Amino acid sequence: MTTRPRRIFIIAGEASGDLHAANLVRAARARDGQLAFEGLGGPNMAAAGVRLRRNIVEDLAIIGLTGILKNLGEIHRLFRLIEDRFAHEPPDAVLLVDYPGFNLRVARKAKSYRLPVVYYICPQTWAWHESRAKAFPEILDKMLTIFPFEERLFREYGADATFVGHPLLDLMKITMTKQEVCAHFAVDPERPIISLLPGSRAGEVRSLLPIMLEAAEQVVSAVPEAQFVLPLASTIPRAMVDSLLDQFAVEVIIANAYRYNLRAAADFAWVASGTATLETAFLGVPMVILYKTSWLTWQVGKRVINLPYIGLANVVAGERIVPELLQDEATGQNLADRTLQILMNPSQLENMRFQLQHVRERVEYPNGRKPGQAPVSPYDRAAQEFLKALDRLAP
């Protein structure tokens, strides 16, 4: 007798979530071919074999309050579609990936129909409102976390949480040696290389790149052999960057390809707060983190964010191992001073590299690194834990 495939309803609502969901689907199917995925997502999920009921990544822009207000009608229709599916063709389980504003509402709806719910890339309540985690045990049957401290936090509130590793470790592939990178981009490997990472949003680049360029002018006056590279995010127009570069007397090499390879070859980095700080930590490159926003957003954020530091490298380390220049402190002078202080002190530079290596190991080895142990794909670990939860919740 042939058993029917277990049906999984999966939702991811942004480009990054679509990519992570697709890779998790592939890893799960590699271990269990009797799984049928359908739901809401984007092109990566469709390419992984998910039957999309709606492409919400490309067709729906639910970003911030403005996105919610613009799409209220469509959001309401999506919830009717989801509820109809849960009521009349209930899946064996619901798998939610990131996208907490939408997916936590879906989780509550799924539990009202007594459907098992697994959450991958969990809501970052530790950053803004930890007490909201109290509700998770009631609506989430299993949480697959990407940071080690999340597992501890969610378990303290009674949730069934397991740390599976950060998916960036699977995505960041270094394919070139430093010598190959430098030859490709006409950079001298014997001279200091500083990488400029002003962000992936236009507003970030307009705010932070001038600060970085001002600092670059000052660093060159102290260290004339310094070189500057800018691995350009695909979301940023080259013309915008060129117009800002024209205002400063410093040479910057802009790269549109091999971005991770170039970043790994750098001796130092100036990084906009966000995922790029974690990527830079994984690459083992010493850095200074910058953050600057509007006065109102800063005032609101200070009251909402529940962290002593905002850089993910520091959050994972549990201490300030990397300098942070926030808001009024984010000036060209401060950035140059802090950079020169570290660059001119070999022991301080090496100590930061050592601490960044520990940041990587914390998210690469859930139970601590053992001698000779090879890393396991975070997606594969997530798939293993998802299937174990599925066997328990929907055998």
Side-chain angles (χ1 to χ4, degrees):
M1 179 175 130
T2 304
T3 59
R4 68 165 178 82
R6 286 185 287 185
R7 300 187 303 269
I8 314 300
F9 197 89
I10 182 170
I11 300 176
E14 295 171 327
S16 60
D18 176 46
L19 176 62
H20 297 318
N23 287 333
L24 177 55
V25 166
R26 290 190 180 96
R29 278 202 166 133
R31 291 179 165 273
D32 183 351
Q34 290 294 304
L35 295 174
F37 288 89
E38 66 165 305
L40 313 177
N44 287 299
M45 290 166 62
V50 177
R51 180 191 170 200
L52 286 188
R53 293 293 186 112
R54 278 292 307 276
N55 184 337
I56 62 173
V57 172
E58 295 181 334
D59 299 344
L60 199 62
I62 310 178
I63 301 174
L65 181 59
T66 302
I68 292 172
L69 295 175
K70 283 173 57 179
N71 293 284
L72 276 176
E74 187 57 33
I75 293 170
H76 182 65
R77 283 188 287 274
L78 282 175
F79 272 96
R80 280 200 318 226
L81 181 155
I82 293 167
E83 184 163 13
D84 181 72
R85 178 68 172 85
F86 289 172
H88 299 108
E89 299 178 79
D92 294 288
V94 177
L95 175 57
L96 306 174
V97 181
D98 204 358
Y99 210 45
F102 188 88
N103 275 339
L104 286 175
R105 289 181 60 194
V106 174
R108 291 186 183 279
K109 184 61 65 178
K111 294 315 295 180
S112 72
Y113 286 94
R114 299 186 178 181
L115 299 175
V117 179
V118 178
Y119 211 119
Y120 177 51
I121 307 182
C122 303
Q124 294 184 348
T125 53
W126 43 267
W128 39 274
H129 209 315
E130 190 175 305
S131 63
R132 294 189 181 181
K134 293 177 181 177
F136 292 167
E138 301 172 10
I139 60 174
L140 305 176
D141 296 286
K142 184 70 182 181
M143 302 180 73
L144 306 177
T145 78
I146 61 174
F147 293 114
F149 57 84
E150 290 180 323
E151 177 185 293
R152 296 191 298 271
L153 169 67
F154 296 140
R155 285 189 173 186
E156 285 174 6
Y157 283 102
D160 182 355
T162 300
F163 167 55
V164 295
H166 202 291
L168 278 177
L169 292 166
D170 264 10
L171 301 177
M172 296 174 60
K173 304 299 183 186
I174 306 303
T175 59
M176 303 164 72
T177 66
K178 180 170 182 173
Q179 287 68 30
E180 290 170 335
V181 171
C182 290
H184 182 85
F185 290 105
V187 176
D188 186 346
E190 301 303 319
R191 294 163 52 197
I193 303 169
I194 298 177
S195 180
L196 279 58
L197 302 169
S200 59
R201 297 183 178 90
E204 288 178 314
V205 175
R206 290 192 192 97
S207 175
L208 296 179
L209 184 55
I211 295 171
M212 294 179 178
L213 295 174
E214 180 186 340
E217 289 181 333
Q218 297 184 44
V219 168
V220 165
S221 67
V223 186
E225 64 271 25
Q227 305 167 99
F228 301 91
V229 298
L230 199 165
L232 189 64
S234 59
T235 52
I236 301 301
R238 172 67 183 263
M240 175 197 297
V241 172
D242 286 338
S243 68
L244 293 171
L245 285 173
D246 288 342
Q247 302 172 35
F248 295 86
V250 64
E251 182 181 352
V252 178
I253 296 171
I254 299 176
N256 294 302
Y258 306 112
R259 286 185 284 266
Y260 282 133
N261 286 286
L262 183 58
R263 288 171 60 180
D267 300 290
F268 204 83
W270 298 335
V271 191
S273 177
T275 304
T277 69
L278 198 61
E279 294 173 335
T280 306
F282 290 169
L283 295 171
V285 177
M287 70 184 113
V288 174
I289 296 169
L290 294 96
Y291 179 84
K292 194 175 184 70
T293 188
S294 69
W295 179 87
L296 180 59
T297 301
W298 175 248
Q299 295 302 318
V300 172
K302 284 198 301 182
R303 289 160 175 76
V304 173
I305 295 176
N306 185 34
L307 292 172
Y309 18 72
I310 66 170
L312 284 172
N314 291 331
V315 173
V316 173
E319 59 180 309
R320 194 184 301 273
I321 64 171
V322 174
E324 296 183 354
L325 297 176
L326 312 180
Q327 202 62 6
D328 294 339
E329 293 180 346
T331 67
Q333 183 68 59
N334 286 343
L335 179 57
D337 289 347
R338 198 63 58 89
T339 300
L340 291 170
Q341 175 190 350
I342 299 169
L343 273 179
M344 308 297 262
N345 187 331
S347 63
Q348 192 172 350
L349 198 64
E350 191 55 36
N351 182 57
M352 190 181 293
R353 289 196 185 101
F354 178 78
Q355 291 176 308
L356 292 174
Q357 177 62 33
H358 277 280
V359 168
R360 178 176 180 124
E361 289 181 0
R362 286 188 183 192
V363 296
E364 197 165 23
Y365 300 92
N367 300 312
R369 185 174 188 177
K370 300 174 179 59
Q373 181 184 2
V376 177
S377 158
Y379 288 124
D380 194 46
R381 272 202 302 264
Q384 291 180 53
E385 293 298 330
F386 169 65
L387 291 172
K388 286 198 306 191
L390 195 60
D391 288 341
R392 174 172 56 86
L393 300 166

